[in-house]
Amino acid sequence: MATFFGEVVVAPSRAGLDEEEEAREETPEDREIRREIEKKRYRRRGRLRLEIRAREIEVLWTCAEEPLVCSRFIVAIGRNAAAFLSSFILDSVCWEVVGVVKLWNEWCRTSSTTNVLPTDSFCLFYRLISDPTVLLCQCSCYVAEDQQFQWLEKVFGSMQKKGLQVTILSTCPVADYKTQESTLTLVSPFLKALKTKEFQEQVCCPLLEQPNIVRDLPAA
């Protein structure tokens, strides 16, 4: 009997069956076919486990202390923001590489090496030599949607949360900026800010107007 309109109900039938067919035992050919099917299912499950494992994020730190004592954490997400850090902040000997994020997705392929080397495929962490509580993250690689929470969980899981101030730098095309005036008259690039209620310091630029939003890893 149907439980809702449109449900397909197949009535049980024993037409075409006899006692000999019901009592027929499994032949060697049947067992071989069943084993091959099980092998294919096992290989398929194995590939699925490998794909899930490949999308896991690994954070490697060169410093032994954990959780890391951090007062300010600056994160540059995207190639433009990462290039800004390289040009105006990291272009000195005041910083040292202390960590790296290794990940694997459809747009980013990091190597299996455990060496912490500055490459575009890594999210690199830098520490200010004169003040080790100041950390920078230069994330120029793509972090997929299903990896963003894991990225946050593993990165911030290594740091103390009390008294931590986080600053995020990111960019977006001017064409995505929503305003009543024409984007052709806007002087670009320009800077806007979002802040949480816990941030009590003075903001160095105007706040981002509604209905503009941030997306992806900066939003996470």
Side-chain angles (χ1 to χ4, degrees), residues 40-121:
K40 290 181 179 180
R41 289 177 179 173
Y42 179 79
R43 287 195 294 267
R44 190 180 300 114
R45 290 194 297 267
R47 286 197 299 269
L48 179 61
R49 284 195 294 269
L50 288 176
E51 291 175 1
I52 294 175
R53 189 178 300 113
R55 295 184 71 88
E56 290 183 354
I57 289 178
E58 185 179 4
V59 181
L60 303 175
W61 297 97
T62 60
C63 46
E65 66 270 14
E66 191 174 332
L68 296 174
V69 178
C70 184
S71 60
R72 291 180 180 267
F73 183 41
I74 302 174
V75 187
I77 301 175
R79 294 189 179 274
N80 292 331
F84 175 82
L85 279 189
S86 297
S87 301
F88 296 99
I89 299 179
L90 293 174
D91 191 18
S92 66
V93 294
C94 301
W95 302 88
E96 60 178 349
V97 178
V98 294
V100 67
V101 174
K102 293 170 53 181
L103 50 85
W104 180 282
N105 55 51
E106 57 271 23
W107 294 105
C108 179
R109 299 288 190 270
T110 60
S111 63
S112 58
T113 179
T114 58
N115 295 330
V116 180
L117 299 176
T119 65
D120 289 339
S121 299

Side-chain angles (χ1 to χ4, degrees), residues 125-136:
F125 298 95
Y126 297 85
R127 181 168 59 184
L128 186 61
I129 297 177
S130 59
D131 185 359
T133 65
V134 178
L135 294 180
L136 296 181

Side-chain angles (χ1 to χ4, degrees), residues 165-191:
Q165 178 178 305
V166 181
T167 303
I168 302 169
L169 305 176
S170 65
T171 60
C172 69
V174 177
D176 293 342
Y177 180 65
K178 298 175 177 60
T179 178
Q180 294 181 351
E181 60 180 299
S182 174
T183 55
L184 297 177
T185 62
L186 293 175
V187 180
S188 61
F190 56 89
L191 189 64

Side-chain angles (χ1 to χ4, degrees), residues 13-30:
S13 175
R14 296 179 60 82
L17 297 178
D18 53 27
E19 294 180 359
E20 292 181 359
E21 290 178 338
E22 291 181 350
R24 185 171 63 90
E25 296 181 356
E26 186 180 40
T27 64
E29 291 81 5
D30 294 334

Side-chain angles (χ1 to χ4, degrees), residues 155-219:
V155 170
F156 285 95
S158 304
M159 302 179 184
Q160 66 170 14
K161 309 300 189 301
K162 186 177 181 180
L164 175 61
Q165 178 178 305
V166 181
T167 303
I168 302 169
L169 305 176
S170 65
T171 60
C172 69
V174 177
D176 293 342
Y177 180 65
K178 298 175 177 60
T179 178
Q180 294 181 351
E181 60 180 299
S182 174
T183 55
L184 297 177
T185 62
L186 293 175
V187 180
S188 61
F190 56 89
L191 189 64
K192 299 286 183 176
L194 287 174
K195 70 181 186 68
T196 61
K197 61 182 180 180
E198 287 80 11
F199 186 84
Q200 302 298 330
E201 299 182 14
Q202 184 177 359
V203 181
C204 62
C205 62
L207 295 179
L208 185 66
E209 309 91 341
Q210 295 181 352
N212 293 286
I213 60 174
V214 292
R215 298 180 175 87
D216 301 324
L217 187 59

